[in-house]
Amino acid sequence: MTAEKQSTPTEPTVLDWFKSLLRGQPIPIPEVELEQSVESEDPALRADKEASTALEVAATAPSIPWFERLSLTAVRFPAALILALVAQFGLEMRPGSVVIPVLLFALAAGLALWAFWSYDVSIPLPTETQNRDWRITVRIPYASAGLAFALLTLLASGGNQFRTSATIFWILAFFCLLAAFWQGDISLDRLRRKLLDPFQAQHFRMSFEGWHLLLLGSLLLAAYFRFSQLDTVPFEMTSDHAEKLFDVMDVLDGQRPIFFLRNTGREAMQFYLAAATATIAGTGISYLTLKLGTALAGFLTLPFIYLFAKEIGGRWTGLLAMTFAGIAYWPNVLSRVGLRFPLYPLFAAPAMYLLVRGLRERRPNLLLLSGVAVGLSLHGYSPARALPLVIALGFALYIVHLRKQIDGRAASSAFIALTLVSLIVTLPLLRVLIDMPEPVLYRSLSRMGTIEAPYPDSPFRILIANLWKALLMFSWDDGVIWLVAIQRRPLLDWIMAGGMHLGALLVLVRYLRQRDWRDAYVLLSIPILLLPSVLALAFPIENPAPN
């Protein structure tokens, strides 16, 4: 028997591999052996070889231009903004043809829609409060007392005079009705603690963050624009200012009208404010007296612009809105000219902010304060008569959009409480309206109706044309009222006007995506707030009216 020797596979030599090439059948190189050889190699040497290989690949790779490395996500919205600003700048330059600016606006709108729909731009809305019981509990004794004092106020306010008795009844009616609807503890001890506790030594703490410094810087900048050189800019009065100073003299002489009849009739707030300014500031019967009060009103509006914009688009939106409103030509002219114009936004801004936040957080007390702002606005400037419609619009949109998620009765009761509070605040003016409706309503009726002049065209056609012109005043033509605008120019500068239209488009797109009532409210409130200008049907030349 012969023993067979079992052969063990061996690694082929270089000579074997060369012979296989001559035969046309090359021996494959074992990968495992190569891997083992690489693994057995010194780690430091292997790292050097890999780095060298990477450098060689990088050196031989083709270079990619920077513009090809940019992502669409990074350029879509900035490009849209730049195009919108260039388009608005073109409109401001008053070109012979508006075709190119309009095309640029259309291109900017397309890019903005693309960016927003692709989530390049995100503008979050504050979340709605869920599952909060916000039904209003009415304190019947306070409500009864409030209604009784309200009746006494109406009875004592005859003769168009703020008598001492009528004023006391009015104040009591207001606080009783507010206490009747106020939710939570209304004891004097709680009120004292709420007012004083933050200033106690163990609680008092003041700290500034970077954000607070930004807000403070914005307000200081706005203060410069509102108050700098106020004694000389603007320099001269008009006949309207002279008429108002006569009314201020009447107040200082002891008269106390609820509604001032001079110069086709005016609400009372500015005249009492000017009388207080003349006495406290020592400016007397002067143009500066009127300007100090209105400039202060314009400045106090700014924090509420910030808060309202923050409710819609976050704190950066609020900061930009407040800053722009502080430095823009239009609001500064309204504030510095010394007439009642800034009293409209002074109360519209807090009323709308408190409404939006009160409904979002389902807090009836904030809605009651919104009603207070609405009531006060009616004592300030007659165009504020559109503000109750804006508040009603907010409630209607809220209920329609969230009807499946909220208690409709709670929302309705909150609206009724807000309305009653605002009516209590306007009680003396309501008595004057009952006694002498013609002077109180004359200014509005002479523009809406034909008591001074016939309609120059169909009222409906005039209404549509007026609305279109009023919406165009921000970026194209602000009308002919020289006192508050540079005639036949865009009301806003090219940066603010371009940003406004692009922002309105983004709000519309966000509404179409999310169906949030606040977006619809922002857009629809604009034409309603413009109604005092739009409804100049008998005198369409007075529309647009930036004041």
Side-chain angles (χ1 to χ4, degrees), residues 226-227 230 270 273 277 287-301 331 333-343:
R226 286 293 193 275
F227 298 105
L230 193 60
Q270 185 188 12
L273 175 63
T277 303
Y287 189 19
L288 181 59
T289 293
L290 297 177
K291 291 191 287 185
L292 280 172
T294 58
L296 180 62
F299 182 74
L300 294 177
T301 306
V333 167
L334 294 183
S335 299
R336 296 174 65 103
V337 78
L339 297 176
R340 298 174 303 150
F341 308 149
L343 297 179

Side-chain angles (χ1 to χ4, degrees), residues 52 94 98 118 157 159 172 180 182 205 302 352 373 381 429 488:
S52 177
R94 278 294 191 263
V98 298
S118 302
S157 297
L172 290 174
W182 196 265
R205 182 168 59 95
L302 298 176
M352 295 175 69
Y381 186 33
L429 189 59
R488 301 302 187 188

Side-chain angles (χ1 to χ4, degrees), residues 234-506:
F235 186 70
E236 294 181 344
M237 294 191 296
T238 66
S239 60
D240 278 348
H241 296 97
E243 298 275 4
K244 283 176 169 48
L245 289 177
F246 278 122
D247 288 325
V248 176
M249 292 171 62
D250 290 342
V251 174
L252 294 175
D253 288 341
Q255 299 184 36
R256 298 293 181 267
I258 299 170
F259 187 82
F260 288 75
L261 300 177
R262 187 179 279 113
N263 198 16
T264 70
R266 295 292 184 268
E267 289 79 7
M269 185 175 293
Q270 185 188 12
F271 307 112
Y272 289 100
L273 175 63
T277 303
T279 303
I280 297 171
T283 50
I285 304 300
S286 67
Y287 189 19
L288 181 59
T289 293
L290 297 177
K291 291 191 287 185
L292 280 172
T294 58
L296 180 62
F299 182 74
L300 294 177
T301 306
L302 298 176
F304 293 103
I305 291 177
Y306 166 76
L307 292 170
F308 177 72
K310 183 181 175 183
E311 283 290 316
I312 301 302
R315 65 178 190 172
W316 281 105
T317 302
L319 177 65
L320 289 174
M322 181 173 69
T323 304
F324 285 161
I327 66 176
Y329 171 83
W330 172 37
N332 273 291
V333 167
L334 294 183
S335 299
R336 296 174 65 103
V337 78
L339 297 176
R340 298 174 303 150
F341 308 149
L343 297 179
Y344 188 10
L346 174 63
F347 296 107
M352 295 175 69
Y353 158 66
L354 291 166
L355 174 77
V356 170
R357 184 174 176 185
L359 289 177
R360 177 177 68 83
E361 297 182 354
R362 302 182 186 180
R363 293 172 60 184
N365 292 346
L366 293 180
L367 299 175
L368 295 177
L369 295 178
S370 176
V372 174
V374 172
L376 289 174
S377 72
L378 298 176
H379 291 283
Y381 186 33
S382 51
R385 295 169 190 175
L387 190 53
L389 299 178
V390 176
I391 300 301
L393 170 70
F395 267 97
L397 291 173
Y398 177 78
I399 293 173
V400 168
H401 283 75
L402 299 178
R403 59 188 179 275
K404 296 181 180 179
Q405 305 172 33
I406 62 170
D407 184 348
R409 289 174 297 180
S412 300
S413 62
F415 177 71
I416 293 172
L418 182 154
T419 303
L420 289 175
V421 168
S422 62
L423 286 174
I424 290 293
V425 176
T426 59
L427 273 179
L429 189 59
L430 288 176
R431 174 59 195 268
V432 177
L433 178 62
I434 293 171
D435 291 344
M436 48 176 101
E438 185 176 348
V440 177
L441 299 177
Y442 177 80
R443 182 73 179 176
S444 299
L445 294 179
S446 64
R447 268 56 197 162
M448 294 171 55
T450 58
I451 60 176
E452 276 194 18
Y455 296 132
D457 197 355
S458 163
F460 180 74
R461 283 199 292 268
I462 297 173
L463 178 66
I464 299 302
N466 278 0
L467 178 59
W468 176 246
K469 291 177 182 178
L471 293 174
L472 282 182
M473 74 175 175
F474 303 106
S475 60
W476 179 243
D477 186 345
D478 56 14
V480 298
I481 303 178
W482 59 269
L483 188 63
V484 291
I486 301 174
Q487 294 174 291
R488 301 302 187 188
R489 301 290 296 175
L491 187 59
L492 298 176
D493 63 76
W494 59 279
I495 294 177
M496 296 184 193
M500 174 185 175
H501 291 299
L502 199 60
L505 177 66
L506 294 183

Side-chain angles (χ1 to χ4, degrees), residues 26-339:
I27 300 172
I29 300 175
E31 295 181 2
V32 175
E33 307 301 340
L34 288 176
E35 289 176 1
Q36 290 176 351
S37 65
V38 170
E39 289 176 358
S40 63
E41 190 177 358
D42 180 50
L45 182 61
R46 185 172 69 249
D48 289 340
K49 288 183 178 180
E50 291 175 354
S52 177
T53 303
L55 289 173
E56 290 177 2
V57 172
T60 57
S63 61
I64 301 175
W66 64 269
F67 53 85
E68 292 184 11
R69 294 198 300 267
L70 282 177
S71 168
L72 284 174
T73 302
V75 300
R76 275 187 292 235
F77 185 74
L81 180 59
I82 292 172
L83 286 173
L85 297 182
V86 171
Q88 182 57 45
F89 184 77
L91 290 179
E92 188 168 320
M93 292 297 102
R94 278 294 191 263
S97 172
V98 298
V99 173
I100 293 179
V102 170
L103 289 177
L104 289 176
F105 263 127
L107 184 57
L111 282 174
L113 289 174
W114 188 13
F116 198 79
W117 214 263
S118 302
Y119 293 95
D120 297 354
V121 181
S122 177
I123 311 174
L125 278 163
T127 56
E128 295 271 357
T129 300
Q130 304 291 335
N131 302 322
R132 172 177 284 175
D133 184 7
W134 59 311
R135 289 172 294 182
I136 293 182
T137 302
V138 181
R139 298 177 176 88
I140 300 299
Y142 283 101
S144 301
L147 293 176
F149 284 124
L151 180 60
L152 291 173
T153 302
L154 283 175
L155 295 174
S157 297
N160 189 25
Q161 289 293 312
F162 278 120
R163 297 184 180 87
T164 302
S165 59
T167 304
I168 293 174
F169 291 147
W170 183 30
I171 294 172
L172 290 174
F174 168 71
F175 280 108
C176 286
L177 200 66
L178 192 65
F181 294 124
W182 196 265
Q183 304 306 292
D185 186 6
I186 60 171
S187 65
L188 292 177
D189 182 63
R190 182 180 184 277
L191 178 62
R192 180 194 62 78
R193 285 187 282 106
K194 198 168 185 64
L195 292 176
L196 298 180
D197 278 2
F199 300 98
Q200 300 295 330
Q202 63 271 27
H203 298 298
F204 186 74
R205 182 168 59 95
M206 182 178 292
S207 63
F208 279 97
E209 300 175 358
W211 183 254
H212 299 141
L213 293 177
L214 283 176
L215 294 178
L216 180 60
S218 175
L219 287 173
L220 290 175
L221 181 64
Y224 173 80
F225 277 86
R226 286 293 193 275
F227 298 105
S228 175
Q229 304 179 49
L230 193 60
D231 56 334
T232 56
V233 182
F235 186 70
E236 294 181 344
M237 294 191 296
T238 66
S239 60
D240 278 348
H241 296 97
E243 298 275 4
K244 283 176 169 48
L245 289 177
F246 278 122
D247 288 325
V248 176
M249 292 171 62
D250 290 342
V251 174
L252 294 175
D253 288 341
Q255 299 184 36
R256 298 293 181 267
I258 299 170
F259 187 82
F260 288 75
L261 300 177
R262 187 179 279 113
N263 198 16
T264 70
R266 295 292 184 268
E267 289 79 7
M269 185 175 293
Q270 185 188 12
F271 307 112
Y272 289 100
L273 175 63
T277 303
T279 303
I280 297 171
T283 50
I285 304 300
S286 67
Y287 189 19
L288 181 59
T289 293
L290 297 177
K291 291 191 287 185
L292 280 172
T294 58
L296 180 62
F299 182 74
L300 294 177
T301 306
L302 298 176
F304 293 103
I305 291 177
Y306 166 76
L307 292 170
F308 177 72
K310 183 181 175 183
E311 283 290 316
I312 301 302
R315 65 178 190 172
W316 281 105
T317 302
L319 177 65
L320 289 174
M322 181 173 69
T323 304
F324 285 161
I327 66 176
Y329 171 83
W330 172 37
N332 273 291
V333 167
L334 294 183
S335 299
R336 296 174 65 103
V337 78
L339 297 176

